[in-house]
Amino acid sequence: MLVRLHLVLRDPPLQRRVRRALEGLDVLVTADSGDAPVVEAITGVAADIVVTREDLVRPEEIVASWPETPDRPLLVLTSRSGDAEHRTALLGTGAVAVLGETDDIPVLRSALEEVIGRRADTQLLALRARAATRYGTLSDFVARSPRM
């Protein structure tokens, strides 16, 4: 499944690194132009995953602004801090992953692959559920035979 990922990083070198980590994955990447306020750039876009820097937003406000639905975006944060406690605290605010801004490309790719895979699995389950609950048709109730 194609996953839509939106970058709101406002740091060109970091954005290039994240894009490089996403190369070859089944993902449609869009990026913030930098014109709108950060909160609007994050909440006003149709995306499955939003990647932003921790110092640009208050993650708990972003997560709280999205409706409680299975298809709400996943928030991924980047952090300059290598402190495990700090990253754990960020995960507690509603982010699904915290990436180090200085992590190597393979490390970034691995973490992003995991998040993208999680979203793709969720989308596939939702698609199957919708298909299973389709409305009945006349052919569901009428028997067919060679004589008819």
Side-chain angles (χ1 to χ4, degrees), residues 6-15 31-42 51-53 55-57 78 80:
H6 187 64
L7 300 174
V8 184
L9 297 171
R10 303 211 171 157
D11 179 0
L14 178 59
Q15 188 163 311
D32 171 46
S33 64
D35 298 336
V38 175
V39 175
E40 287 179 26
I42 293 172
V51 180
T52 189
R53 289 179 31 222
D55 56 352
L56 292 178
V57 296
T78 65
R80 291 187 177 134

Side-chain angles (χ1 to χ4, degrees), residues 55-116:
D55 56 352
L56 292 178
V57 296
R58 293 180 48 103
E60 58 276 0
E61 290 177 6
I62 298 299
V63 172
S65 71
W66 287 327
E68 287 286 332
T69 59
D71 61 343
R72 76 191 244 174
L74 300 177
L75 181 64
V76 175
L77 297 173
T78 65
S79 175
R80 291 187 177 134
S81 173
D83 182 32
E85 284 185 35
H86 178 71
R87 288 187 179 196
T88 303
L90 290 173
L91 290 172
T93 64
V96 296
V98 180
L99 311 174
E101 292 184 9
T102 58
D103 288 347
D104 296 331
I105 299 293
V107 173
L108 288 174
R109 182 180 179 85
S110 175
L112 288 168
E113 268 182 318
E114 188 64 35
V115 174
I116 291 166

